[in-house]
């Protein structure tokens, strides 16, 4: 998703599988003027891990990349589908501090470049107790062009362990 004035851009890439210990390597295909990469791992997600997704900028949901005006806050609705899911958001801003909205935890804030090329990337998340609409929101230290992507990370279904005797009883009850 691009910013409303084409000054920011954010992309979200996801993977799945069992992570190994150690460092994660991520790099750009070519050298940008200024850009940031944040790598975040979450365990216990379903396969596939992603539920609903929302993206936008100062022009709103799936906002156009031109005609926007800088704002001092961000706010986009996301509808979660699963109890206990995690709302993960990444926000691209230029040289501004970000204060997440109520219930969100700021996980990372990375800045790269200098002067007019200084770019920033922020990640935040929030666990939701019940499915429904949540607002991905917060404020900036000053007005700024921004772009945001947020995704619901759906938790894996965990089945309780049962004994062989319990399994036979469940099977016998189902056959009656």
């Amino acid at each position: 998703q691009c910013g409303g004035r084409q000054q920011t851009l954010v992309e979200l890439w996801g993977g799945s599988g069992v992570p190994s210990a150690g460092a994660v390597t991520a790099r750009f295909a070519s050298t940008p003027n200024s850009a940031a990469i944040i790598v975040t791992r979450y365990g216990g997600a379903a396969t596939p891990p992603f539920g609903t997704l929302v993206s936008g900028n100062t022009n709103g949901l799936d906002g156009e990349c031109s005609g926007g005006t800088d704002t001092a806050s961000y706010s986009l609705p996301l509808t979660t589908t699963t109890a206990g899911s995690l709302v993960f958001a990444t926000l691209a801003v230029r040289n501004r501090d970000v204060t997440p909205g109520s219930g969100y935890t700021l996980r990372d804030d990375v800045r790269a470049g200098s002067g007019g090329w200084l770019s920033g990337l922020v990640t935040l998340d929030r666990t939701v107790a019940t499915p429904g609409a949540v607002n991905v929101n917060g404020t900036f230290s000053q007005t700024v062009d921004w772009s945001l992507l947020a995704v619901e990370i759906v938790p894996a279904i965990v089945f309780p362990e049962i004994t062989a005797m319990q399994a036979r009883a469940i099977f016998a009850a189902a056959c009656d």
Side-chain angles (χ1 to χ4, degrees):
Q1 174 68 55
C2 57
R5 292 194 313 117
Q6 297 184 358
Q7 293 182 333
T8 61
L9 174 70
V10 62
E11 292 184 19
L12 176 67
W13 293 73
S16 62
V18 178
S20 59
V24 174
T25 302
R27 63 179 157 241
F28 295 105
S30 60
T31 306
N33 286 328
S34 71
I37 294 177
I38 294 177
V39 176
T40 305
R41 284 187 189 161
Y42 290 97
T47 303
F50 299 132
T52 56
L53 172 93
V54 65
S55 67
N57 58 30
T58 58
N59 288 318
L61 293 173
D62 299 321
E64 293 292 326
C65 298
S66 62
T69 57
D70 293 356
T71 62
S73 63
Y74 61 95
S75 180
L76 294 176
L78 176 71
T79 301
T80 60
T81 59
T82 307
S85 63
L86 182 88
V87 173
F88 171 82
T90 186
L91 184 68
V93 296
R94 292 175 48 105
N95 198 23
R96 299 291 187 264
D97 293 328
V98 176
T99 301
S102 179
Y104 288 92
T105 301
L106 181 68
R107 296 293 177 189
D108 214 342
D109 184 346
V110 174
R111 297 176 194 199
S114 62
W117 291 104
L118 183 63
S119 62
L121 192 59
V122 172
T123 59
L124 48 102
D125 63 27
R126 170 186 175 183
T127 301
V128 294
T130 57
V134 296
N135 199 12
V136 183
N137 62 359
T139 59
F140 305 113
S141 56
Q142 296 175 4
T143 60
V144 68
D145 184 49
W146 56 270
S147 53
L148 177 131
L149 284 173
V151 64
E152 173 190 22
I153 300 176
V154 179
I157 298 172
V158 178
F159 295 100
E161 291 187 31
I162 59 173
T163 65
M165 183 182 290
Q166 290 170 320
R168 284 192 293 277
I170 292 167
F171 180 73
C175 291
D176 286 343

